[in-house]
């Protein structure tokens, strides 16, 4: 299935973050033709930029690729549930679908802490799909933090 294929690409991005000692989150944006138009990984520490989350980096690349800040008819694949900042950007960009692996009970704004995509006060409501390779994506984060605590 397509969702698993693209989540695997996001996992590859997440591993790039882990390689530079950043929280391993990766994202990929695909257009309606199933072409990857943006990708990114977490790097707020190394870039000294608190907005440099995987989703934001992928959105920036996809917007440049399309020459438009609106990413209508796109799907964002991300390893972990997006945070409030990222869900805000997803809604502003009009991303059609958000597909993620593991829920984030501490920061998740798609369905855990908040359900921003369902908030009727907002003007866009992306479809939210969760649990694609949930265990695999959860283990990436767990392993990272276990290693952090042991050093």
């Amino acid at each position: 299935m397509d969702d698993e294929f693209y989540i695997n690409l996001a996992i590859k991005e997440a591993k790039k973050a882990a390689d530079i000692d950043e929280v391993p989150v990766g994202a990929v944006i695909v257009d309606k033709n199933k072409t990857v138009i943006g990708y990114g990984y977490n790097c707020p520490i190394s870039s000294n930029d608190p907005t440099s989350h995987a989703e934001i980096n992928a959105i920036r690349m996809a917007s440049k690729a399309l020459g438009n800040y609106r990413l209508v008819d796109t799907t964002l694949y991300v390893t972990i549930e997006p945070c409030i900042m990222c869900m805000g950007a997803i809604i502003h960009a009009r991303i059609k679908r958000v597909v993620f692996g593991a829920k984030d009970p501490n920061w998740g704004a798609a369905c855990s802490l908040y359900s921003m995509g369902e908030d009727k006060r907002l003007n866009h409501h992306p479809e939210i799909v969760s649990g694609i390779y949930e265990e695999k994506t959860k283990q990436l984060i767990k392993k990272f933090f276990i290693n952090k605590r042991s050093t």
Side-chain angles (χ1 to χ4, degrees):
M1 186 176 190
D2 288 343
D3 287 346
E4 286 87 357
F5 175 80
Y6 293 110
I7 283 287
N8 270 320
L9 293 180
I11 289 169
K12 287 180 182 177
E13 290 298 309
K15 289 178 180 176
K16 292 177 186 176
D19 289 345
I20 60 169
D21 206 29
E22 298 269 5
V23 176
V25 179
V28 172
I29 298 178
V30 177
D31 68 12
K32 64 183 175 185
N33 299 316
K34 305 290 185 190
T35 302
V36 174
I37 58 171
Y39 52 87
Y41 55 88
N42 267 14
C43 56
I45 298 166
S46 59
S47 66
N48 295 312
D49 179 358
T51 69
S52 194
H53 288 197
E55 301 94 323
I56 301 297
N57 293 329
I59 288 169
R60 287 176 178 151
M61 182 184 285
S63 295
K64 284 181 183 170
L66 294 181
N68 195 334
Y69 75 101
R70 295 264 169 95
L71 302 177
V72 179
D73 290 327
T74 62
T75 299
L76 169 73
Y77 293 91
V78 61
T79 54
I80 300 297
E81 180 181 0
C83 70
I84 297 166
M85 175 184 68
C86 293
M87 278 303 296
I90 288 162
I91 290 165
H92 281 291
R94 309 299 195 274
I95 291 173
K96 184 176 184 175
R97 287 179 77 225
V98 177
V99 179
F100 67 88
K103 290 181 180 179
D104 185 347
N106 297 319
W107 292 96
C111 62
S112 292
L113 272 183
Y114 302 99
S115 296
M116 288 177 65
E118 296 176 8
D119 191 327
K120 299 303 178 204
R121 297 169 294 179
L122 301 173
N123 65 344
H124 178 68
H125 308 100
E127 176 189 348
I128 305 294
V129 178
S130 67
I132 307 298
Y133 287 141
E134 182 174 9
E135 197 54 39
K136 193 175 189 179
T137 55
K138 190 186 300 183
Q139 288 308 314
L140 274 173
I141 296 286
K142 271 186 157 178
K143 181 180 173 190
F144 175 81
F145 284 110
I146 288 169
N147 289 341
K148 275 293 207 199
R149 289 182 192 110
S150 68
T151 56

